[in-house]
């Protein structure tokens, strides 16, 4: 059986992490979110965490080699599918990913890119009101609020803001995304493997649309 691979694209704040998580829960496929993995390394104060902390703080991309080795480690897990969130982010990383597929997965044929499209204005607004829990859950003060203010519904942890979710850093991250994403999206479009979703809808509606598209492609 070929493994299923879905690669999420979208600017920071588009909701791709939220959708990747919903899809992972529904399918049992493993989610590889490079941002989450880096933040976990930083929190655990590992060597890798210390190497990458300054990049995340500044909203700059972590060097490609470090990123690819983290992805490789995660791609070696057993799974019937993988969901990428936040990788690849440039031409070099696309090449690294295609090489890793050849080396590790081999039988994969079902690779699709899924673009969650939102305007920069909407992305900025969402990031300003994003709140996180250390357990990995993501909230929005208005659109996806916790049951009791400031506290995680599932684990009771105290919610916090990401330190790169401030207007100046957000502007830089959006700029990097627009500079790099066009050629990646072009690549998947030319392969006939790009699914585009309107990200300016309710979270549940977007999830349903994604499931419908994947069903019509016989991926789920
Ligand atoms: P990304 O991974 O693309 O940076 P997230 O999934 O973290 O984005 O979502 C950014 C913020 O917007 C979070 O606070 C999240 O709860 C919220 N959010 C996600 N999807 C939607 C949506 N469809 N409508 C409104 N808010 C959303
Ligand atoms: P966003 O909400 O911007 O999509 P992520 O959680 O995906 O945020 O990424 C946060 C930060 O982690 C990035 O600004 C960057 O420093 C680092 N990072 C995540 N993915 C990558 C990647 N593929 N290559 C390099 N750096 C990355
Ligand atoms: Zn929690």
């Amino acid at each position: 059986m070929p493994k299923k691979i879905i690669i999420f694209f979208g600017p920071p704040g588009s909701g791709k992490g939220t959708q990747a998580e919903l899809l992972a829960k529904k399918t049992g496929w493993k989610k590889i979110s490079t941002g989450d993995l880096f933040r976990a390394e930083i929190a655990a104060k590992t060597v890798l965490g210390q190497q990458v902390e300054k990049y995340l703080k500044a909203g700059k991309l972590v060097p490609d080699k470090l990123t690819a080795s983290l992805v490789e480690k995660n791609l070696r897990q057993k799974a019937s599918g993988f969901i990428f969130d936040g990788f690849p982010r440039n031409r070099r990383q696309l090449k690294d990913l295609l090489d890793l597929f050849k080396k590790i997965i081999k039988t994969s044929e079902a690779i699709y890119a899924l673009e969650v499209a939102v305007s920069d204005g909407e992305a900025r607004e969402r990031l300003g009101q994003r709140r996180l829990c250390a357990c990995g859950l993501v909230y929005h003060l208005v659109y996806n609020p916790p049951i009791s203010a400031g506290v995680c519904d599932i684990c009771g942890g105290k919610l916090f803001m990401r330190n790169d979710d401030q207007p100046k850093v957000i502007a830089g991250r959006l700029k990097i995304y627009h500079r790099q994403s066009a050629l990646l999206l072009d690549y998947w479009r030319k392969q006939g493997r790009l699914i585009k979703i309107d990200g300016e809808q309710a979270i549940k509606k977007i999830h349903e649309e994604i499931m419908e598209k994947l069903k019509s492609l016989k991926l789920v």
Side-chain angles (χ1 to χ4, degrees):
M1 271 280 275
K3 280 197 208 299
K4 316 293 194 312
I5 310 274
I6 303 292
I7 307 170
F8 274 89
F9 287 94
S14 58
K16 60 188 181 304
T18 300
Q19 294 301 329
E21 181 63 29
L22 290 172
L23 183 61
K25 270 209 189 107
K26 185 69 72 72
T27 56
W29 302 341
K30 289 261 195 296
K31 184 178 72 142
I32 300 182
S33 167
T34 42
D36 288 350
L37 292 168
F38 283 136
R39 280 186 291 277
E41 297 278 340
I42 292 170
K45 296 192 174 8
T46 64
V47 174
L48 177 63
Q50 285 166 0
Q51 284 171 314
V52 304
E53 190 166 12
K54 59 175 184 288
Y55 298 101
L56 275 90
K57 216 168 169 189
K60 300 257 165 66
L61 292 189
V62 171
D64 295 331
K65 274 214 174 109
L66 286 179
T67 308
S69 64
L70 184 73
V71 170
E72 171 159 9
K73 199 167 81 188
N74 282 276
L75 204 53
R76 290 188 183 280
Q77 304 171 89
K78 253 198 154 140
S80 56
F82 289 98
I83 299 165
F84 286 88
D85 163 25
F87 183 89
R89 265 173 146 99
N90 58 32
R91 191 194 294 270
R92 174 74 239 174
Q93 293 186 4
L94 173 62
K95 178 160 190 318
D96 289 342
L97 184 64
L98 297 176
D99 288 346
L100 286 175
F101 284 161
K102 265 193 218 134
K103 182 164 133 191
I104 300 172
I105 298 202
K106 295 182 184 106
T107 55
S108 169
E109 284 142 26
I111 306 177
Y112 282 86
L114 208 156
E115 180 189 5
V116 183
V118 305
S119 67
D120 279 8
E122 177 70 17
R124 261 188 235 110
E125 195 282 330
R126 287 183 188 176
L127 292 177
Q129 309 210 49
R130 171 158 71 181
R131 297 292 182 274
L132 257 68
C133 176
C135 77
L137 279 182
V138 178
Y139 296 87
H140 184 282
L141 294 181
V142 179
Y143 301 121
N144 186 24
I147 294 166
S148 62
V151 184
C152 178
D153 295 351
I154 302 300
C155 77
K158 193 164 168 269
L159 302 187
F160 57 90
M161 250 184 115
R162 260 171 60 172
N163 62 9
D164 55 348
D165 280 347
Q166 336 155 12
K168 256 202 179 146
V169 186
I170 290 171
R173 284 157 60 208
L174 284 168
K175 221 166 153 184
I176 294 174
Y177 177 77
H178 290 301
R179 198 164 61 214
Q180 311 273 23
S181 66
L183 74 96
L184 300 178
L185 293 171
D186 253 14
Y187 171 84
W188 294 107
R189 194 176 297 115
K190 283 185 188 138
Q191 304 279 319
R193 296 288 173 129
L194 181 64
I195 303 167
K196 189 168 174 173
I197 301 272
D198 174 6
E200 297 200 12
Q201 311 181 75
I203 293 175
K204 191 161 165 268
K205 178 80 183 19
I206 298 171
H207 174 63
E208 286 165 5
E209 253 184 44
I210 290 175
M211 292 310 295
E212 271 167 33
K213 298 244 170 159
L214 298 188
K215 265 181 209 142
S216 70
L217 293 164
K218 301 201 173 9
L219 293 174
V220 290

